[in-house]
Amino acid sequence: MISGPKYAIDRCLAVLGICISAVLAQTAFAQQSPGFQSFEDFQRSRDKSLGIHIMASTIPDEVHSGGFFKLRVTVIIDPGGHIYSIEEQISEESLATQLRLDRNAFPPQGEWSESAPRIAVDGVFQKAVKIHENAVEFNREFKVPEEIKTGAYLIAGSLVYRFCDDKTCSLPRELVFQTSVLIAESKP
């Protein structure tokens, strides 16, 4: 077995060289790797609504028991960016935007619909995908139960999305939204 101060110094220098090489390789990979936001960038920006602004409303805002209303989630997308359609698109990646609702008193009637997406070649994946730029509306219809009490009811949920441009894509982000619907007395 080799030992002594010279061997210990050589061993320390070798380990240090390996560590420096790993850091340099990681930095080079991060600079050359197009496509995704780094984990560090994601951590720094996770509390911000990256690239989008969200609003929710009900149509109509007042409804009677037994009636129907539509929940509309409007998303404004910052210039130069896009989010993906709610339809699954590329089998290798989970790109589809998702809308999740907290439990509420109103049974949904059908699935979410969206304003017409644009088909574009994604700069990150180099594949044709369905995207939304500028703005998009997501809608879903709900039924008001006959036996519900009058009053205002909170409807809350979240939008899970990736904000992308032609060179990078964020990791999936979740942004909450909420609105209310007023249940009025039924007309005699």
mmCIF file of all heavy atoms in Angstrom, residues 6 12 19 23 31 35 41 62-63 85 87-88 91 94 101 109 120 122 124 148 151-152 166 174 182 185:
data_model
loop_
_atom_site.group_PDB
_atom_site.id
_atom_site.type_symbol
_atom_site.label_atom_id
_atom_site.label_comp_id
_atom_site.label_asym_id
_atom_site.label_seq_id
_atom_site.Cartn_x
_atom_site.Cartn_y
_atom_site.Cartn_z
ATOM 1 N N LYS A 6 3.328 12.746 0.052
ATOM 2 C CA LYS A 6 3.269 12.995 -1.387
ATOM 3 C C LYS A 6 2.069 12.278 -1.995
ATOM 4 O O LYS A 6 1.360 12.821 -2.832
ATOM 5 C CB LYS A 6 4.563 12.557 -2.063
ATOM 6 C CG LYS A 6 4.535 12.849 -3.567
ATOM 7 C CD LYS A 6 5.844 12.578 -4.218
ATOM 8 C CE LYS A 6 5.905 12.803 -5.682
ATOM 9 N NZ LYS A 6 4.790 13.083 -6.449
ATOM 10 N N CYS A 12 -5.386 14.035 -3.347
ATOM 11 C CA CYS A 12 -6.249 15.219 -3.192
ATOM 12 C C CYS A 12 -6.329 16.001 -4.496
ATOM 13 O O CYS A 12 -7.404 16.454 -4.902
ATOM 14 C CB CYS A 12 -5.743 16.117 -2.066
ATOM 15 S SG CYS A 12 -6.078 15.455 -0.437
ATOM 16 N N CYS A 19 -13.480 16.842 -9.589
ATOM 17 C CA CYS A 19 -14.576 17.754 -9.213
ATOM 18 C C CYS A 19 -14.644 18.955 -10.146
ATOM 19 O O CYS A 19 -15.728 19.343 -10.598
ATOM 20 C CB CYS A 19 -14.407 18.216 -7.768
ATOM 21 S SG CYS A 19 -14.669 16.909 -6.557
ATOM 22 N N VAL A 23 -17.783 19.986 -12.704
ATOM 23 C CA VAL A 23 -18.439 21.302 -12.689
ATOM 24 C C VAL A 23 -18.352 21.954 -14.070
ATOM 25 O O VAL A 23 -19.334 22.496 -14.577
ATOM 26 C CB VAL A 23 -17.839 22.214 -11.595
ATOM 27 C CG1 VAL A 23 -18.298 23.647 -11.760
ATOM 28 C CG2 VAL A 23 -18.186 21.689 -10.217
ATOM 29 N N GLN A 31 -25.071 25.301 -20.769
ATOM 30 C CA GLN A 31 -25.030 26.384 -21.745
ATOM 31 C C GLN A 31 -25.371 25.886 -23.138
ATOM 32 O O GLN A 31 -25.931 26.610 -23.940
ATOM 33 C CB GLN A 31 -23.649 27.042 -21.743
ATOM 34 C CG GLN A 31 -23.371 27.821 -20.484
ATOM 35 C CD GLN A 31 -21.934 28.303 -20.406
ATOM 36 O OE1 GLN A 31 -21.087 27.901 -21.199
ATOM 37 N NE2 GLN A 31 -21.653 29.154 -19.440
ATOM 38 N N GLY A 35 -33.573 24.027 -24.786
ATOM 39 C CA GLY A 35 -34.830 23.377 -24.481
ATOM 40 C C GLY A 35 -35.420 23.725 -23.152
ATOM 41 O O GLY A 35 -36.388 24.429 -23.096
ATOM 42 N N ASP A 41 -32.982 27.869 -12.248
ATOM 43 C CA ASP A 41 -33.861 28.936 -12.736
ATOM 44 C C ASP A 41 -35.294 28.679 -12.287
ATOM 45 O O ASP A 41 -36.022 29.594 -11.916
ATOM 46 C CB ASP A 41 -33.810 29.045 -14.256
ATOM 47 C CG ASP A 41 -32.500 29.619 -14.756
ATOM 48 O OD1 ASP A 41 -31.758 30.222 -13.949
ATOM 49 O OD2 ASP A 41 -32.220 29.468 -15.965
ATOM 50 N N GLU A 62 -75.016 34.558 -12.150
ATOM 51 C CA GLU A 62 -76.119 34.207 -11.250
ATOM 52 C C GLU A 62 -76.967 33.153 -11.925
ATOM 53 O O GLU A 62 -77.346 33.299 -13.091
ATOM 54 C CB GLU A 62 -76.970 35.447 -10.949
ATOM 55 C CG GLU A 62 -78.082 35.188 -9.981
ATOM 56 C CD GLU A 62 -78.888 36.448 -9.690
ATOM 57 O OE1 GLU A 62 -78.266 37.482 -9.368
ATOM 58 O OE2 GLU A 62 -80.129 36.390 -9.789
ATOM 59 N N VAL A 63 -77.286 32.072 -11.208
ATOM 60 C CA VAL A 63 -78.040 30.962 -11.790
ATOM 61 C C VAL A 63 -78.975 30.374 -10.724
ATOM 62 O O VAL A 63 -78.744 30.560 -9.527
ATOM 63 C CB VAL A 63 -77.061 29.898 -12.375
ATOM 64 C CG1 VAL A 63 -76.241 29.248 -11.301
ATOM 65 C CG2 VAL A 63 -77.769 28.893 -13.233
ATOM 66 N N SER A 85 -51.722 23.175 -26.005
ATOM 67 C CA SER A 85 -53.135 22.820 -25.984
ATOM 68 C C SER A 85 -53.411 21.850 -24.835
ATOM 69 O O SER A 85 -52.487 21.252 -24.278
ATOM 70 C CB SER A 85 -53.483 22.156 -27.322
ATOM 71 O OG SER A 85 -54.737 21.521 -27.271
ATOM 72 N N GLU A 87 -54.863 19.107 -25.347
ATOM 73 C CA GLU A 87 -54.778 17.781 -25.968
ATOM 74 C C GLU A 87 -53.369 17.219 -25.814
ATOM 75 O O GLU A 87 -52.391 17.934 -25.984
ATOM 76 C CB GLU A 87 -55.092 17.872 -27.464
ATOM 77 C CG GLU A 87 -56.480 18.325 -27.778
ATOM 78 C CD GLU A 87 -56.704 18.466 -29.279
ATOM 79 O OE1 GLU A 87 -56.067 17.720 -30.051
ATOM 80 O OE2 GLU A 87 -57.501 19.324 -29.661
ATOM 81 N N GLU A 88 -53.275 15.906 -25.528
ATOM 82 C CA GLU A 88 -51.961 15.252 -25.494
ATOM 83 C C GLU A 88 -51.375 15.323 -26.895
ATOM 84 O O GLU A 88 -52.080 15.167 -27.879
ATOM 85 C CB GLU A 88 -52.087 13.789 -25.063
ATOM 86 C CG GLU A 88 -52.372 13.611 -23.587
ATOM 87 C CD GLU A 88 -51.218 14.037 -22.689
ATOM 88 O OE1 GLU A 88 -50.047 13.984 -23.115
ATOM 89 O OE2 GLU A 88 -51.501 14.439 -21.548
ATOM 90 N N SER A 91 -45.831 11.868 -27.448
ATOM 91 C CA SER A 91 -45.878 10.751 -26.504
ATOM 92 C C SER A 91 -44.720 10.746 -25.517
ATOM 93 O O SER A 91 -44.867 10.313 -24.392
ATOM 94 C CB SER A 91 -45.924 9.428 -27.265
ATOM 95 O OG SER A 91 -44.776 9.308 -28.088
ATOM 96 N N SER A 94 -44.899 15.103 -21.519
ATOM 97 C CA SER A 94 -46.207 15.525 -21.050
ATOM 98 C C SER A 94 -46.299 17.038 -21.223
ATOM 99 O O SER A 94 -45.940 17.793 -20.334
ATOM 100 C CB SER A 94 -46.391 15.137 -19.588
ATOM 101 O OG SER A 94 -47.618 15.637 -19.125
ATOM 102 N N LEU A 101 -59.682 21.154 -10.929
ATOM 103 C CA LEU A 101 -60.653 21.844 -10.087
ATOM 104 C C LEU A 101 -60.665 21.257 -8.689
ATOM 105 O O LEU A 101 -60.581 20.035 -8.526
ATOM 106 C CB LEU A 101 -62.050 21.729 -10.681
ATOM 107 C CG LEU A 101 -62.319 22.548 -11.935
ATOM 108 C CD1 LEU A 101 -63.709 22.257 -12.463
ATOM 109 C CD2 LEU A 101 -62.167 24.026 -11.645
ATOM 110 N N GLN A 109 -70.488 18.906 -16.783
ATOM 111 C CA GLN A 109 -71.243 18.386 -17.916
ATOM 112 C C GLN A 109 -70.299 18.353 -19.115
ATOM 113 O O GLN A 109 -70.150 19.342 -19.816
ATOM 114 C CB GLN A 109 -72.451 19.281 -18.212
ATOM 115 C CG GLN A 109 -73.344 19.528 -17.022
ATOM 116 C CD GLN A 109 -74.018 18.267 -16.534
ATOM 117 O OE1 GLN A 109 -74.798 17.655 -17.263
ATOM 118 N NE2 GLN A 109 -73.691 17.855 -15.325
ATOM 119 N N ALA A 120 -47.981 24.563 -34.842
ATOM 120 C CA ALA A 120 -46.683 25.172 -35.116
ATOM 121 C C ALA A 120 -45.592 24.138 -34.884
ATOM 122 O O ALA A 120 -45.783 23.179 -34.143
ATOM 123 C CB ALA A 120 -46.461 26.374 -34.193
ATOM 124 N N ASP A 122 -42.596 23.267 -32.963
ATOM 125 C CA ASP A 122 -42.027 23.681 -31.695
ATOM 126 C C ASP A 122 -40.511 23.777 -31.825
ATOM 127 O O ASP A 122 -39.860 22.829 -32.264
ATOM 128 C CB ASP A 122 -42.413 22.665 -30.621
ATOM 129 C CG ASP A 122 -42.023 23.122 -29.240
ATOM 130 O OD1 ASP A 122 -40.846 22.943 -28.886
ATOM 131 O OD2 ASP A 122 -42.888 23.661 -28.532
ATOM 132 N N VAL A 124 -38.319 23.819 -29.522
ATOM 133 C CA VAL A 124 -37.615 22.981 -28.557
ATOM 134 C C VAL A 124 -37.618 21.521 -29.005
ATOM 135 O O VAL A 124 -36.592 20.860 -29.033
ATOM 136 C CB VAL A 124 -38.241 23.121 -27.153
ATOM 137 C CG1 VAL A 124 -37.611 22.147 -26.178
ATOM 138 C CG2 VAL A 124 -38.102 24.549 -26.660
ATOM 139 N N ILE A 148 -79.765 22.581 -3.881
ATOM 140 C CA ILE A 148 -78.714 23.460 -3.370
ATOM 141 C C ILE A 148 -79.315 24.702 -2.704
ATOM 142 O O ILE A 148 -80.369 25.200 -3.105
ATOM 143 C CB ILE A 148 -77.737 23.850 -4.502
ATOM 144 C CG1 ILE A 148 -76.423 24.371 -3.922
ATOM 145 C CG2 ILE A 148 -78.374 24.831 -5.456
ATOM 146 C CD1 ILE A 148 -75.294 24.426 -4.927
ATOM 147 N N GLY A 151 -76.998 31.347 -2.394
ATOM 148 C CA GLY A 151 -75.786 31.978 -1.879
ATOM 149 C C GLY A 151 -74.664 31.915 -2.894
ATOM 150 O O GLY A 151 -74.816 31.388 -3.997
ATOM 151 N N ALA A 152 -73.536 32.464 -2.496
ATOM 152 C CA ALA A 152 -72.350 32.478 -3.360
ATOM 153 C C ALA A 152 -71.511 31.240 -3.077
ATOM 154 O O ALA A 152 -71.287 30.882 -1.919
ATOM 155 C CB ALA A 152 -71.536 33.737 -3.117
ATOM 156 N N ASP A 166 -39.311 29.865 -28.599
ATOM 157 C CA ASP A 166 -38.704 29.016 -29.621
ATOM 158 C C ASP A 166 -37.425 28.322 -29.168
ATOM 159 O O ASP A 166 -36.912 27.454 -29.869
ATOM 160 C CB ASP A 166 -38.408 29.836 -30.877
ATOM 161 C CG ASP A 166 -39.680 30.194 -31.618
ATOM 162 O OD1 ASP A 166 -40.701 29.499 -31.406
ATOM 163 O OD2 ASP A 166 -39.664 31.156 -32.400
ATOM 164 N N GLU A 174 -47.740 25.516 -11.892
ATOM 165 C CA GLU A 174 -49.143 25.471 -11.484
ATOM 166 C C GLU A 174 -49.543 26.842 -10.984
ATOM 167 O O GLU A 174 -48.888 27.414 -10.121
ATOM 168 C CB GLU A 174 -49.343 24.416 -10.405
ATOM 169 C CG GLU A 174 -50.791 24.188 -10.058
ATOM 170 C CD GLU A 174 -50.998 22.951 -9.195
ATOM 171 O OE1 GLU A 174 -50.008 22.404 -8.666
ATOM 172 O OE2 GLU A 174 -52.158 22.556 -9.051
ATOM 173 N N LEU A 182 -73.205 32.763 -8.080
ATOM 174 C CA LEU A 182 -74.292 33.093 -7.149
ATOM 175 C C LEU A 182 -75.502 32.237 -7.498
ATOM 176 O O LEU A 182 -75.991 32.292 -8.628
ATOM 177 C CB LEU A 182 -74.641 34.576 -7.254
ATOM 178 C CG LEU A 182 -75.765 35.060 -6.336
ATOM 179 C CD1 LEU A 182 -75.371 34.866 -4.869
ATOM 180 C CD2 LEU A 182 -76.086 36.505 -6.614
ATOM 181 N N GLU A 185 -82.549 32.466 -5.677
ATOM 182 C CA GLU A 185 -83.809 31.752 -5.406
ATOM 183 C C GLU A 185 -84.482 31.418 -6.713
ATOM 184 O O GLU A 185 -84.484 32.212 -7.658
ATOM 185 C CB GLU A 185 -84.738 32.619 -4.553
ATOM 186 C CG GLU A 185 -84.307 32.669 -3.104
ATOM 187 C CD GLU A 185 -85.368 33.327 -2.233
ATOM 188 O OE1 GLU A 185 -86.575 33.114 -2.464
ATOM 189 O OE2 GLU A 185 -84.981 34.069 -1.335
#
